[in-house]
Amino acid sequence: MPYTGQPPRYPYGSGVQPPRDTKPSSSINTVLVVLLVVILVGAGLFMAFFLFIGSFGGDPWEENMDFEQEVFIQEEGHFRYFLADPWEERVEVNFTITLTGGGPFDVYIMDQEQYDNSYGNTSTGSFSSTFSWHNVTVVHDVIELENTRTQYFLVVDNTDMSFLPENARPEGPVSMDVEIHVTYFYTW
């Protein structure tokens, strides 16, 4: 009788199947790719639709904020009122400041950096403002700020700044009626 050798041994024993290939089939991969493309195209169309609608300007709307108060400022002091945040599209400020006691004062519209340079570190002698009214007893004006990139403030000043020859010289405390009407304009 011829020798046939040992019968083959299966590593999983009798009755146990070897593991199946766990790679997803190509049809599942195709479905996933098509689904991803549909989602991306849908998101792109959604964004394009809102950009297209936004190009017509949309309906504008506005918000108003009012401040009316008597303000007292000590000599070498100032009053600051917040006007606008960095994301405002357009801001219109209508204000009237009328002296009720004391001497003349200065009024400034300043952004955050201008304010910090002028009042945060007085040793530098650095001063700038977006709008200014010097040595006044009454101010009535309307100003507009567009596409703000920083905060803006209205500042009423009773400080002697030696590097600003045109500014008012304090004569003691001042009192004034301050009326501020701020309108914020928005569009979609």
Side-chain angles (χ1 to χ4, degrees), residues 29-52:
N29 285 340
T30 304
V31 168
L32 290 176
V33 168
V34 168
L35 185 62
L36 180 64
V37 168
V38 168
I39 290 172
L40 290 175
V41 167
L45 289 173
F46 182 77
M47 289 175 40
F49 173 75
F50 279 102
L51 289 175
F52 178 73

Side-chain angles (χ1 to χ4, degrees), residues 10-188:
Y10 298 103
Y12 299 104
S14 66
V16 177
Q17 301 273 337
R20 297 175 66 189
D21 189 9
T22 59
K23 294 181 185 177
S25 69
S26 62
S27 63
I28 292 176
N29 285 340
T30 304
V31 168
L32 290 176
V33 168
V34 168
L35 185 62
L36 180 64
V37 168
V38 168
I39 290 172
L40 290 175
V41 167
L45 289 173
F46 182 77
M47 289 175 40
F49 173 75
F50 279 102
L51 289 175
F52 178 73
I53 293 298
S55 67
F56 290 114
D59 291 333
W61 83 94
E62 59 187 60
E63 292 181 19
N64 296 300
M65 183 173 58
D66 291 310
F67 175 85
E68 189 172 331
Q69 188 172 323
E70 187 172 8
V71 173
F72 298 93
I73 305 173
Q74 292 295 324
E75 186 172 341
E76 297 303 320
H78 69 279
F79 166 77
R80 176 179 82 165
Y81 184 79
F82 174 77
L83 295 176
D85 270 320
W87 58 81
E88 306 293 349
E89 269 184 54
R90 185 169 71 93
V91 179
E92 183 179 279
V93 182
N94 182 346
F95 64 97
T96 302
I97 304 171
T98 307
L99 184 68
T100 58
F105 53 89
D106 303 307
V107 178
Y108 306 109
I109 304 294
M110 300 178 143
D111 67 24
Q112 181 70 51
E113 185 176 341
Q114 292 168 332
Y115 180 82
D116 290 343
N117 286 338
S118 299
Y119 295 99
N121 186 2
T122 56
S123 65
T124 63
S126 173
F127 182 87
S128 65
S129 64
T130 306
F131 299 95
S132 62
W133 299 262
H134 293 281
N135 206 16
V136 294
T137 56
V138 174
V139 177
H140 174 75
D141 211 338
V142 178
I143 60 116
E144 192 171 301
L145 303 168
E146 290 192 25
N147 296 321
T148 61
R149 299 289 182 249
T150 183
Q151 292 181 334
Y152 279 88
F153 305 98
L154 180 138
V155 178
V156 182
D157 179 85
N158 191 27
T159 305
D160 183 14
M161 296 188 183
S162 57
F163 46 86
L164 287 176
E166 68 272 11
N167 81 318
R169 303 286 185 248
E171 300 173 5
V174 294
S175 60
M176 60 202 63
D177 287 328
V178 178
E179 297 176 26
I180 305 170
H181 178 76
V182 183
T183 305
Y184 303 95
F185 297 93
Y186 303 97
T187 56
W188 282 102

